[in-house]
Amino acid sequence: TREQAQLKASVVEEDTEEWQRDSSFAGLERVGGVDLSYVKGDDTNACASLVVLSYPALEVLYEDYRMVAVSAPYVAGFLAFREVPFLVEALQRLEQEKPELKPQVLLVDGNGLLHPRGFGVACHLGVLTDLPCIGVAKNLLQVDGLVKDELHKEQIRSLQRGGDSFPLTGTSGGVLGMVSCRDYDNSSKPLYVSVGHRVCLETALRLVKSCCRYRIPEPIRQVQQQGAEEGKS
């Protein structure tokens, strides 16, 4: 908890890059996606995955998939200590092998500020790599009074058009993230977007929407798809 609090002090919750301030993200050329996907029925063997896509075309420029042995135990609220070291290593390999393809922003399968102590995996990875990071989760982490109750479900149903969104405001009064919905293939399942590092929430949401061909933003969809295949083999 102490280490988490120390690292959290370094989180920057605002835009720091020129491309972030442009309405069309002019200057953004490379978007990364990272994930750790476990072998089915095995919580110690996983595939650490990194992809880098071109922007705005969203074509794969670089991919790195490596099977890893996860030894740290799972403790709720401290997932990053179990997973982030492998993702940092993947980014370090990229810097050594293809530094020109280093992503300008990372989409992380998980949460950022939407976390019991405001320091989820996207914040943790962002601080350690000093890269702009955005948390993108498929399920609501119920913190600070946020619950997946009937009111929350009704708000999701009220998102009429793909790309509609609403803020997640905790009982503390702070906005912890945004709920976004892309109506694809008759599915209206939401995404929970939160700030990781060096990006504001509005920019994070705009970028995630711009990376969606389907429900899941392309950098994360690609990394999960390939990671799952590697895990099977």
Side-chain angles (χ1 to χ4, degrees), residues 18-191:
E18 281 300 317
W19 61 261
Q20 294 167 329
R21 300 180 178 92
D22 187 277
S23 60
S24 61
F25 296 128
L28 177 60
E29 298 176 349
R30 298 173 304 283
V31 179
V34 292
D35 182 44
L36 203 73
S37 51
Y38 293 86
V39 173
K40 193 170 183 179
D42 184 348
D43 63 357
T44 59
N45 286 298
C47 183
S49 310
L50 162 69
V51 298
V52 182
L53 306 186
S54 63
Y55 189 89
L58 301 177
E59 294 173 347
V60 176
L61 300 174
Y62 175 91
E63 46 193 355
D64 180 319
Y65 305 101
R66 189 159 300 200
M67 295 303 297
V68 296
V70 183
S71 57
Y74 170 74
V75 181
F78 298 95
L79 180 66
F81 290 95
R82 178 173 161 87
E83 298 190 348
V84 161
F86 300 110
L87 303 179
V88 170
E89 286 175 5
L91 286 158
Q92 288 172 339
R93 284 194 295 272
L94 166 59
E95 287 231 46
Q96 290 168 358
E97 297 167 10
K98 296 275 186 178
E100 70 278 9
L101 295 181
K102 180 179 178 179
Q104 293 162 276
V105 60
L106 280 174
L107 270 55
V108 182
D109 179 37
N111 294 295
L113 297 180
L114 181 57
H115 178 270
R117 286 167 299 282
F119 194 71
V121 63
C123 296
H124 203 127
L125 184 61
V127 169
L128 292 185
T129 61
D130 200 32
L131 281 170
C133 278
I134 299 168
V136 184
K138 295 182 282 295
N139 298 297
L140 174 64
L141 188 60
Q142 302 189 43
V143 297
D144 195 15
L146 296 173
V147 289
K148 200 170 183 179
D149 57 9
E150 197 51 45
L151 173 61
H152 182 76
K153 292 174 185 174
E154 181 56 40
Q155 285 178 298
I156 290 171
R157 284 193 289 268
S158 73
L159 299 177
Q160 297 295 324
R161 300 180 306 277
D164 280 0
S165 57
F166 65 85
L168 283 167
T169 305
T171 52
S172 63
V175 175
L176 303 180
M178 297 291 290
V179 182
S180 177
C181 197
R182 179 183 173 88
D183 187 10
Y184 171 74
D185 205 17
N186 296 320
S187 169
S188 56
K189 292 179 181 176
L191 292 174

